[in-house]
Amino acid sequence: MKDFAYHKAPDLKSVQQLLTEFAEHALPVAGGSNVMVDIRNGRLNDRELIGISDIAELQGLRFSRGKIIIGAATKISEIAVSQLLAAKAPALWMAAQVFADPIIRNSATVGGNLAYASPAADLAPPLLALNADLLLLKKGGKRKLPLADFFLGVNHTALEPGELIASVEFAANARSAFYKLGLRNAMAISIATAAAAVKRVRDGSISEIRLAMGSVAPRPVRCLHAEQFLLGKQALHIDPEALAQALVWDISPIDDIRASAVYRRAMAPVLMQRAIARACGGCADEVFAGKKSADEGRAGA
Amino acid sequence: MTVIGTDVARLDGIAKLTGKQQYTGDILIPGMMHAVLLRSPHPHAEIIKIDTSEAEKMGAVCLTYDDILINGQAVVYNERSVSVPAATYRDRTILPNKARHLYEPIAAVAADTEELAYKALQAVKVEYRVLQPVYDPQEAMEEGAPQLYDKVYLGDKEVDICNNIGVSRNISQGDVEAGFARADRIFEQDFELPRIYHAQLETKGCVVAPEPDGGITVWATAQSIHGNRQLLGRALNLPLSKINVKKIAIGGAFGSSIQVNTVTPICAALALKARRPVKLISSREEDFYSHQKYPVRFHVKMGVTNEGMITAAELSALVDFGAHQVQPLPFLGCVAGWFASLYQYGGNIGFHGTAVYTNKTPCCAMQGYGNPQTNFAIESMIDIISGEMGFDAIEFRLKNYRGVGHEFWGQGPTIRTIIKSCGVEESLLKGREIMGWSGRGRHTDKQGRIRHGLGVARGFHTSGTGGPKEGEVIDYSSAFIKINEDGSVDVVTPVMDLGGGTWDAIAKFVSEVLQVPLQRVGLSPTDTKSTAYDVCTHATRGVYCGGGAAYHVALEVRKKLLETAGRLLNEHAENLELVRDDDLGQGVVYVKGLRDNQMTVGEIARQAQINSWGTLQYAGSYRQKNCPPCFTTHFVEVAVDTLTGEITIPKVLIYGDCGTVVNPELFGGQLIGSFGRGMAYTLYENLTMNEEGGFTTKPQAASEPIYTSQPVKDGELLNHGALADYKLPTSSEMPLIENVLVRHTDTYEPTGPFGAKGIAESAIASVQAAIANAIYNAIGIRFYRLPITPEIVLQAIQKKAVK
Ligand SMILES: Cc1cc2nc3c(=O)[nH]c(=O)nc-3n(C[C@H](O)[C@H](O)[C@H](O)COP(=O)(O)OP(=O)(O)OC[C@H]3O[C@@H](n4cnc5c(N)ncnc54)[C@H](O)[C@@H]3O)c2cc1C
């Protein structure tokens, strides 16, 4: 049997109090879909869990002046059904379609996905490609941090003790896409994921693009070499070999129970090319109106 | 209109849909304790000492090896009891004094709450002498390998175990060498199938209540209530009359509870020691370490003439069955039988089977009992030979298969039957039209990223393990049926329904024989005290054998009904007719030709009671004297993504031959669900374990450590026993339902109740080979090992491209 105590925090103020009170024993928990697993397998023990999933200030999805702001305690299922995101940030929306399964999506949150800092966190690549910022809260202060500076390693982030993610924000970009490869269509931690967000295309050639991948390095990564390579290239006619060559410098995959490093290296360009093609040609409304939402974002679909 | 062959709501449907169905885990008894198991952290270790004193101080009751001794001796048994004792190896006790696989239960602790039981468990101290484990079956047979056992028992005989070889079986017929000599070409090939896990919904559990008379009442996850009772009687030294095992719904099994579950005798011994009811329910992680499917390494050799006749075939099978024998002896016999019964091979058959102890979870039957394994090897081989020799794969099968008039080995070499109904030809001929077989093209013609292929394979399973003569396996069933005083009917059967609809079939047979509306047939909740023996719901015998017994008992009741009616109607019974009258909602008996002279069945039963003539009832046991094969054929279309190696299945045609279809929707459900399991076995399921610490004579290649979020112990499964990390496909990997075509052949089994035989296990037999054959048709690559994962496919595609 594992021991833990649970305190539900009704508002931000009480979270701060509880975090201070229990200091290094405190652990915020939102959906609990990582925390409960770690309690069960013994990685976490004797912690004071502070429930933040009902705090109003951490909820919701807003769009104003070209920016999308998502509260940290927003559930993945809310992202998955959001017409707004399907239209304005399809990469994120597609990641939500293939995230775990409908039951987990009803509890798992955006903040939890990022804060757990798994290399396989499915929301990380699309948010990196969308150049998102995090709003972080701490007793007596808040700060903004680019997501690109947030992930430090496996389960290791730039969060300071007692600091919470309040929200994530980014500029809308309809020309973005995401693909995931897993051992099955649902309830699968990814073998590799790829996200692309095109900022500008001139005469069919790419002039600004952001790429990111998951499960191919100790943390979700921006693919700067591949981005560089793509500049000036015709979006729909990319040489796969050359893209693969560029990606080699961006990723450092390992063998694990899901796949070998070799397979991941082979899959990276396949997924990335698909994400780029979708992002460049992608009209998001069409995506949302699409026939089978469950297929969206799935690599083999 | 007959109820047989029509869809009706399942008898247990409402209870299951509303959550009212009781399973073992739902049993609550006042004063009940909760038990948990102490499991060995070592895959191989002697248990020197167990100190339970601290746990007992906490109020727990503990059970260790010392507690299970009867007159200083531990009772040695085999959990599986469907074979005759002389063909049953015995090697285990309620709790062991040596752990032979990781997480083998070695002590049990019961307390007032589960939480307290876990805390007490942590206070139990165990001293081990750690031994080296051995994991690979080939290496287990080598000189110097750690030995799991010195001796075990076969029936009453003590037998020595050498080189960890548990069982070896050689079976031959005809003249194999002469057969090969007649062949124009000889083909040889190895195949390998992995361990997988049953993943049945209900994890194994048990509740045992001691009774004031010294007996026990038992609720257990079980496929056979009588099997449980007999084993408990033996292990606990109790008269059978003091043991009552209740029939209770089971949440699926796939064969995992044919044997008495390891937790059941432990729970019973603990309850007797505590003198209180005890509940013991396995967690999913524990269940993963309780039973797995037999892995097999095959070597196949076949001789073929240029005219397309197979002249001889030889099969060698190496089985790593784990730490205990849950009967690899009949398993090997069955593998030989499935192999022998697929084709005629000119009558020349050789089989060499070896089953080896390893420090792994024990293997037991799982849907097909060696049949899916054997079928994958043989049906792949048939496809290979067809391709190499330029035969049409369907014509080649039609030339060589065993059909009506041929012999079928339903349960190894001792249980044989002559085939009397067979849908093989119909399924192959019609199937090839429906699926456009002739237009499937060759892999060399296919291009593009996604390549499609069409493959076929055929298979079967037995319906039960009966036969004209007694053999190695026990098979009969029993029933008690009575007509109540209002014309309704009670059916008391020991037969378990594992979710497939066996009880519905039994009720339908009785309804049909006694012409009583199905809604007026009641299945009694019952137990071992009030039923006679039934061996087990296994071997696809529920409908054919269990239903067969109910059918024959119902015929006797019908005879009594007509005799009694004759007395009341002043006619000879043979002049009477029994029909169902849906307006009256009853059966009626009338004098043939004189419809006015009639009585309802209720009136007859009531009058018999008033006249003190007795109840219209009969109890009897019945053995089926055949084990007819139920055949299946799978036509599978695959799409291979040549960039990712992913395989999807756009379309499948499934032919099933179960003779008369009793429950059409359940027939379809069985075939479709089993296709899903077969697809999982072929493309997904991977039960890999960490074998680093195992005995080996080979220099070990330095390998990168596998990264998982948790460390993996020696002997541990990489998924840590978590279903979330055991990637069974979900419904979304299945072909769309409109692309799953299910057909039944037009067949009638003369020896079955209303022409029915089974379908259950046959439904998976040929899935694996059909998929692998389709992959070959798509990309020209043959896979000899399962699972065929995307990574393996991609590797093979790249290797082929380089060549
Ligand atoms: C069966 C299953 C399937 C899964 N499938 C996927 C999948 O397909 N893709 C995927 O990416 N993940 C998957 N996961 C992992 C998990 O569901 C996600 O990472 C999820 O988003 C975590 O969110 P949560 O709210 O449940 O986090 P919690 O478990 O509540 O918390 C996780 C961590 O984040 C911290 N935390 C939570 N919220 C905040 C905050 N606002 N500020 C600071 N720290 C915070 C917690 O302290 C904890 O350390 C799966 C998990 C399970 C159990």
Side-chain angles (χ1 to χ4, degrees):
Chain A
M1 288 304 261
K2 319 291 189 307
D3 282 326
F4 62 87
Y6 181 75
H7 314 268
K8 194 166 187 84
D11 51 34
L12 274 182
K13 213 175 122 220
S14 49
V15 177
Q16 308 290 10
Q17 257 164 18
L18 289 163
L19 286 174
T20 316
E21 183 184 338
F22 295 112
E24 73 273 16
H25 285 292
L27 184 75
V29 53
S33 61
N34 283 131
V35 168
M36 291 315 293
V37 173
D38 281 349
I39 288 176
R40 189 145 199 267
N41 68 28
R43 293 218 305 174
L44 282 176
N45 209 352
D46 277 331
R47 299 299 285 264
E48 304 287 334
L49 303 186
I50 298 164
I52 60 167
S53 55
D54 284 352
I55 296 175
E57 296 100 309
L58 300 179
Q59 305 289 336
L61 218 154
R62 291 184 300 285
F63 178 63
S64 83
R65 276 181 265 135
K67 267 204 177 296
I68 294 168
I69 302 164
I70 304 175
T74 305
K75 310 257 189 282
I76 310 297
S77 53
E78 294 170 56
I79 295 180
V81 299
S82 164
Q83 304 249 8
L84 175 81
L85 291 176
K88 303 207 177 292
L92 187 62
W93 179 83
M94 288 168 90
Q97 304 307 304
V98 291
F99 193 105
D101 74 351
I103 297 169
I104 294 286
R105 293 205 284 269
N106 278 338
S107 59
T109 65
V110 177
N113 193 243
L114 299 175
Y116 194 71
S118 158
D122 281 338
L123 300 192
L127 288 171
L128 283 171
L130 291 163
N131 205 23
D133 290 318
L134 297 179
L135 184 65
L136 305 180
L137 279 187
K138 205 177 163 177
K139 202 172 177 188
K142 56 180 161 187
R143 60 172 175 145
K144 209 179 220 185
L145 184 74
L147 184 62
D149 298 335
F150 181 71
F151 299 114
L152 302 181
V154 179
N155 302 134
H156 186 36
T157 69
L159 273 179
E160 287 169 11
E163 202 170 33
L164 276 185
I165 305 175
S167 61
V168 48
E169 58 177 70
F170 52 91
N173 186 346
R175 284 188 296 198
S176 65
F178 169 90
Y179 284 102
K180 165 171 173 171
L181 182 72
L183 288 174
R184 61 181 174 194
N185 295 338
M187 281 298 254
I189 301 297
S190 49
I191 289 173
T193 54
V198 200
K199 282 288 279 192
R200 267 181 298 161
V201 182
R202 233 178 254 132
D203 306 330
S205 78
I206 297 167
S207 59
E208 199 181 338
I209 191 165
R210 278 201 189 82
L211 309 176
M213 294 201 73
S215 289
V216 290
R219 56 199 170 106
V221 286
R222 268 284 291 281
C223 302
L224 297 170
H225 291 88
E227 288 174 13
Q228 193 62 36
F229 156 76
L230 287 171
L231 293 183
K233 299 283 187 307
Q234 286 289 310
L236 299 176
H237 302 282
I238 294 159
D239 174 13
E241 292 295 322
L243 175 64
Q245 282 306 314
L247 273 175
V248 163
W249 302 101
D250 293 317
I251 63 177
S252 50
I254 57 161
D255 292 339
D256 70 8
I257 48 168
R258 285 174 275 282
S260 69
V262 174
Y263 186 63
R264 290 195 156 95
R265 238 176 247 121
M267 289 306 96
V270 176
L271 291 168
M272 188 51 92
Q273 182 152 26
R274 215 169 160 217
I276 295 164
R278 178 61 171 264
C280 290
C283 166
D285 298 318
E286 194 179 284
V287 172
F288 195 73
K291 339 134 273 207
K292 272 186 68 199
S293 68
D295 279 353
E296 294 302 334
R298 188 192 303 155
Chain B
M1 205 187 61
T2 162
V3 287
I4 290 169
T6 53
D7 284 316
V8 293
R10 284 188 65 143
L11 298 175
D12 55 6
I14 290 175
K16 284 186 173 164
L17 285 176
T18 55
K20 297 270 159 47
Q21 181 74 59
Q22 262 202 338
Y23 297 88
T24 299
D26 298 317
I27 300 294
L28 289 174
I29 302 173
M32 185 172 84
M33 301 176 92
H34 297 265
V36 295
L37 297 177
L38 196 152
R39 293 173 173 272
S40 169
H42 307 292
H44 200 187
E46 267 171 41
I47 297 150
I48 308 293
K49 205 173 124 201
I50 303 183
D51 177 1
T52 55
S53 54
E54 290 301 316
E56 276 152 5
K57 274 187 213 149
M58 295 163 78
V61 178
C62 302
L63 191 80
T64 66
Y65 182 77
D66 292 338
D67 293 304
I68 62 153
L69 305 180
I70 295 172
N71 303 325
Q73 288 273 313
V75 179
V76 181
Y77 57 82
N78 188 315
E79 294 172 341
R80 183 175 158 114
S81 60
V82 303
S83 299
V84 299
T88 300
Y89 278 97
R90 298 184 287 122
D91 68 15
R92 74 178 305 150
T93 51
I94 297 178
L95 289 168
N97 54 6
K98 180 181 173 188
R100 294 181 177 86
H101 70 91
L102 186 71
Y103 302 143
E104 173 155 26
I106 54 174
V109 176
D112 286 346
T113 65
E114 205 175 342
E115 186 174 355
L116 183 59
Y118 270 113
K119 290 200 162 128
L121 185 78
Q122 281 160 358
V124 176
K125 291 188 219 49
V126 188
E127 204 180 302
Y128 299 95
R129 192 166 77 82
V130 177
L131 305 169
Q132 189 178 30
V134 59
Y135 299 128
D136 182 89
Q138 202 74 53
E139 300 199 324
M141 293 188 289
E142 280 170 20
E143 230 32 73
Q147 302 292 302
L148 274 79
Y149 293 86
D150 300 330
K151 59 175 188 172
V152 301
Y153 299 88
L154 175 59
D156 295 328
K157 278 200 324 271
E158 204 176 284
V159 290
D160 292 332
I161 296 295
C162 297
N163 302 326
N164 291 312
I165 297 174
V167 187
S168 68
R169 255 191 123 156
N170 296 306
I171 297 163
S172 69
Q173 198 166 294
D175 185 338
V176 178
E177 286 319 309
F180 284 134
R182 276 215 331 264
D184 293 308
R185 285 186 66 181
I186 303 281
F187 293 86
E188 289 194 64
Q189 189 58 54
D190 290 336
F191 295 89
E192 187 174 346
L193 296 100
R195 278 173 177 254
I196 59 171
Y197 168 61
H198 298 66
Q200 79 289 354
L201 279 179
E202 178 182 333
T203 62
K204 294 174 163 186
C206 187
V207 177
V208 176
E211 300 298 340
D213 68 354
I216 50 172
T217 304
V218 180
W219 296 260
T221 311
Q223 290 181 233
S224 164
I225 53 174
H226 285 279
N228 272 263
R229 179 200 230 193
Q230 292 185 348
L231 186 87
L232 289 172
R234 179 170 187 167
L236 304 169
N237 197 26
L238 281 178
L240 296 186
S241 59
K242 288 254 156 75
I243 302 171
N244 199 19
V245 181
K246 297 275 195 180
K247 192 165 126 177
I248 186 164
I250 178 172
F254 300 111
S256 59
S257 293
I258 292 174
Q259 68 275 18
V260 176
N261 296 325
T262 306
V263 293
T264 306
I266 296 175
C267 185
L270 203 46
L272 284 173
K273 182 172 178 187
R275 295 165 191 257
R276 279 172 64 182
V278 172
K279 182 185 223 169
L280 174 50
I281 306 287
S282 310
S283 68
R284 181 60 68 184
E285 287 89 336
E286 291 180 293
D287 208 72
F288 261 96
Y289 288 94
S290 153
H291 51 89
Q292 294 164 4
K293 187 181 184 111
Y294 285 104
V296 191
R297 294 180 193 170
F298 286 116
H299 181 76
V300 187
K301 183 176 175 187
M302 278 192 201
V304 190
T305 65
N306 288 332
E307 291 72 44
M309 294 309 295
I310 308 173
T311 55
E314 209 166 29
L315 181 72
S316 307
L318 175 63
V319 177
D320 134 39
F321 62 82
H324 295 288
Q325 301 209 23
V326 194
Q327 280 293 67
L329 169 77
F331 177 84
L332 288 177
C334 283
V335 167
W338 314 135
F339 156 62
S341 304
L342 268 167
Y343 294 99
Q344 299 172 46
Y345 314 116
N348 304 313
I349 303 160
F351 173 78
H352 316 283
T354 310
V356 185
Y357 280 112
T358 58
N359 291 106
K360 293 185 192 162
T361 296
C363 291
C364 69
M366 177 174 168
Q367 196 179 16
Y369 206 42
N371 203 341
Q373 292 94 320
T374 311
N375 190 283
F376 172 67
I378 302 300
E379 283 294 279
S380 293
M381 202 68 183
I382 293 292
D383 207 61
I384 292 169
I385 296 172
S386 306
E388 291 274 323
M389 296 190 72
F391 305 143
D392 177 83
I394 289 176
E395 294 297 336
F396 186 45
R397 287 181 169 87
L398 288 173
K399 262 190 192 157
N400 288 284
Y401 81 99
R402 286 200 186 197
V404 171
H406 295 133
E407 198 176 50
F408 175 77
W409 304 17
Q411 200 73 180
T414 66
I415 304 288
R416 304 190 192 192
T417 203
I418 301 297
I419 300 172
K420 300 176 179 79
S421 63
C422 170
V424 174
E425 194 167 334
E426 179 188 342
S427 66
L428 286 171
L429 294 179
K430 286 192 180 158
R432 76 176 171 192
E433 296 308 316
I434 296 171
M435 292 295 277
W437 175 254
S438 58
R440 69 178 186 149
R442 294 167 54 84
H443 63 85
T444 42
D445 310 332
K446 311 201 175 191
Q447 277 167 358
R449 172 173 173 178
I450 310 284
R451 310 229 173 127
H452 286 251
L454 182 62
V456 70
R458 52 160 292 260
F460 50 59
H461 201 69
T462 186
S463 310
T465 65
K469 286 189 286 225
E470 63 273 26
E472 276 173 16
V473 190
I474 299 163
D475 197 309
Y476 70 90
S477 189
S478 307
F480 164 49
I481 298 173
K482 68 181 205 286
I483 300 179
N484 297 319
E485 293 71 25
D486 62 351
S488 65
V489 172
D490 286 324
V491 181
V492 188
T493 163
V495 174
M496 288 293 299
D497 184 338
L498 314 179
T502 312
W503 290 340
D504 293 73
I506 289 175
K508 281 181 168 183
F509 294 151
V510 173
S511 154
E512 193 65 21
V513 172
L514 296 177
Q515 291 295 307
V516 52
L518 189 58
Q519 308 81 278
R520 304 194 114 213
V521 178
L523 287 180
S524 303
T526 187
D527 50 45
T528 48
K529 286 206 179 197
S530 34
T531 54
Y533 182 78
D534 171 76
V535 61
C536 185
T537 299
H538 78 130
T540 309
R541 66 182 289 285
V543 168
Y544 181 75
C545 300
Y551 170 78
H552 281 91
V553 167
L555 285 178
E556 297 296 331
V557 177
R558 181 190 158 104
K559 215 188 278 169
K560 281 201 180 175
L561 169 67
L562 292 179
E563 276 162 12
T564 307
R567 280 169 88 179
L568 294 169
L569 293 168
N570 284 322
E571 257 298 349
H572 193 278
E574 283 177 15
N575 290 337
L576 300 178
E577 195 86 72
L578 167 65
V579 294
R580 201 174 78 219
D581 186 323
D582 285 322
D583 294 334
L584 292 173
Q586 280 222 20
V588 294
V589 175
Y590 63 87
V591 181
K592 281 179 194 160
L594 297 172
R595 192 69 211 245
D596 288 345
N597 196 6
Q598 73 168 40
M599 286 181 85
T600 67
V601 171
E603 285 163 353
I604 298 164
R606 174 115 176 91
Q607 202 57 51
Q609 179 221 345
I610 289 166
N611 294 0
S612 297
W613 292 349
T615 298
L616 304 176
Q617 50 79 29
Y618 192 82
S621 291
Y622 184 82
R623 168 176 171 83
Q624 287 286 21
K625 287 93 186 165
N626 290 274
C627 47
C630 32
F631 294 98
T632 47
T633 296
H634 286 90
F635 283 86
V636 176
E637 183 189 329
V638 299
V640 183
D641 184 332
T642 54
L643 285 187
T644 63
E646 287 175 296
I647 293 171
T648 50
I649 300 185
K651 190 172 176 183
V652 57
L653 168 67
I654 312 170
Y655 259 99
D657 164 17
C658 62
T660 299
V661 180
V662 179
N663 301 315
E665 280 185 340
L666 300 184
F667 166 83
Q670 182 68 18
L671 287 167
I672 296 169
S674 300
F675 180 76
R677 281 320 292 270
M679 179 176 86
Y681 190 21
T682 314
L683 303 177
Y684 291 86
E685 285 178 78
N686 224 337
L687 199 60
T688 319
M689 75 182 242
N690 179 2
E691 304 191 7
E692 271 164 11
F695 167 84
T696 176
T697 50
K698 293 185 214 95
Q700 274 191 320
S703 62
E704 290 280 312
I706 299 264
Y707 170 81
T708 67
S709 47
Q710 267 176 285
V712 196
K713 273 193 205 178
D714 189 30
E716 194 169 18
L717 299 171
L718 297 193
N719 76 337
H720 300 279
L723 260 188
D725 288 324
Y726 185 66
K727 299 299 182 204
L728 285 162
T730 69
S731 57
S732 73
E733 279 84 8
M734 284 289 278
L736 295 177
I737 195 73
E738 58 267 30
N739 295 330
V740 181
L741 313 178
V742 175
R743 300 278 187 278
H744 59 82
T745 58
D746 184 15
T747 39
Y748 185 93
E749 171 56 40
T751 68
F754 298 102
K757 36 188 183 179
I759 192 68
E761 291 168 276
S762 67
I764 196 172
S766 41
V767 178
Q768 294 69 219
I771 295 175
N773 293 345
I775 295 171
Y776 182 80
N777 181 239
I779 56 174
I781 297 172
R782 176 68 59 185
F783 292 95
Y784 306 100
R785 289 172 74 161
L786 302 186
I788 309 167
T789 61
E791 186 159 352
I792 288 169
V793 173
L794 192 72
Q795 243 170 36
I797 289 174
Q798 288 171 344
K799 209 163 115 195
K800 190 180 174 213
V802 170
K803 259 199 240 151

